[in-house]
Amino acid sequence: MIEILKSLEFTPFLLSFKLAFVTTLILFVISLPFSWYLSQTKSKFKPIFEAITALPIVLPPSVLGFYILWALSINSPIGAFFEETFGIKLVFNFTGLVIASCFYSLPFMMQPLQSGFESINKNMLEASYISGKSKLETMIRVALPNIKPALMTAIIVTFAHTVGEFGVVLMVGGSIPGDTKVASVAIYEFVEIMDYSMAHIYSAIMVIISFLVLLSVYIFNGKNNKKLGGVA
């Protein structure tokens, strides 16, 4: 057992955390204004936008991964443009993993934020507008401070979901040590070669990480609900 622990390679975990951090940061910047718009708009196209952003939840990872792989490859206009213009390949590298993860984890950032914004008292928002604040100021100064549980849930769950990705990242990034071989892919490879000891260790680490992430969400939301109850 000691020998197994000594041979444990932490690079896949570091790559998983790096991917999760970058993906979460990008999705937060993108999803914040978009989720605010969806929470406030009365457009007839709102259900269409919501359905599109929620697609990764119901689509098989193989389907989503295939279309992302095709869209980023040299055979597509997007992939060809980036490679011919900037000399950047968007598949089988870390950049491709980030792009794929942003698509795959989008609903896990969008939906909690949108639900949080929709739960805010409309009178509070109207008061902000009447006082002369713009929609952007209202979102940042009034809405965000009042959706801390939803905000924390969106960030933590998106991070955890990205850490646990497998199908999409394998199709788009492959398994390149030090570049695209994340923890979930490493576990898959250990199982393939029937190295169940290492697969158990890697899997146990992932289970512990996932449990701690979810536990932190429930603890934070529980404390916040108690504060709100005390105020009420």
Side-chain angles (χ1 to χ4, degrees), residues 226-232:
K226 285 182 180 180
K227 287 181 180 179
L228 292 177
V231 172

Side-chain angles (χ1 to χ4, degrees), residues 67-200:
Y67 280 114
I68 295 175
L69 178 62
W70 175 83
L72 301 182
S73 71
I74 189 66
N75 297 318
S76 78
I78 298 174
F81 171 78
F82 274 90
E83 185 157 353
E84 293 171 4
T85 306
F86 305 106
I88 300 175
K89 292 184 178 181
L90 298 180
V91 293
F92 301 114
N93 55 39
F94 189 76
T95 302
L97 286 189
V98 172
I99 296 173
S101 295
C102 284
F103 279 104
Y104 191 49
S105 295
L106 177 63
F108 295 90
M109 179 67 76
M110 278 287 303
Q111 292 186 356
L113 288 179
Q114 183 180 343
S115 297
F117 285 137
E118 289 175 345
S119 67
I120 296 176
N121 191 314
K122 301 301 180 183
N123 294 329
M124 188 185 301
L125 301 180
E126 290 297 331
S128 177
Y129 294 141
I130 292 174
S131 66
K133 289 185 176 65
S134 65
K135 290 185 177 181
L136 179 61
E137 288 179 309
T138 299
M139 180 188 72
I140 295 175
R141 297 184 179 181
V142 178
L144 273 181
N146 285 280
I147 63 163
K148 288 180 180 178
L151 183 62
M152 185 62 66
T153 298
I155 292 173
I156 294 180
V157 172
T158 300
F159 185 92
H161 182 259
T162 306
V163 168
E165 286 180 34
F166 169 67
V168 172
V169 296
L170 180 62
M171 292 189 71
V172 177
S175 178
I176 303 173
D179 193 14
T180 65
K181 187 178 178 180
V182 295
S184 57
V185 174
I187 294 171
Y188 172 74
E189 292 187 347
F190 284 132
V191 174
E192 269 198 320
I193 62 175
M194 292 187 289
D195 187 348
Y196 297 129
S197 296
M198 293 301 294
H200 272 304

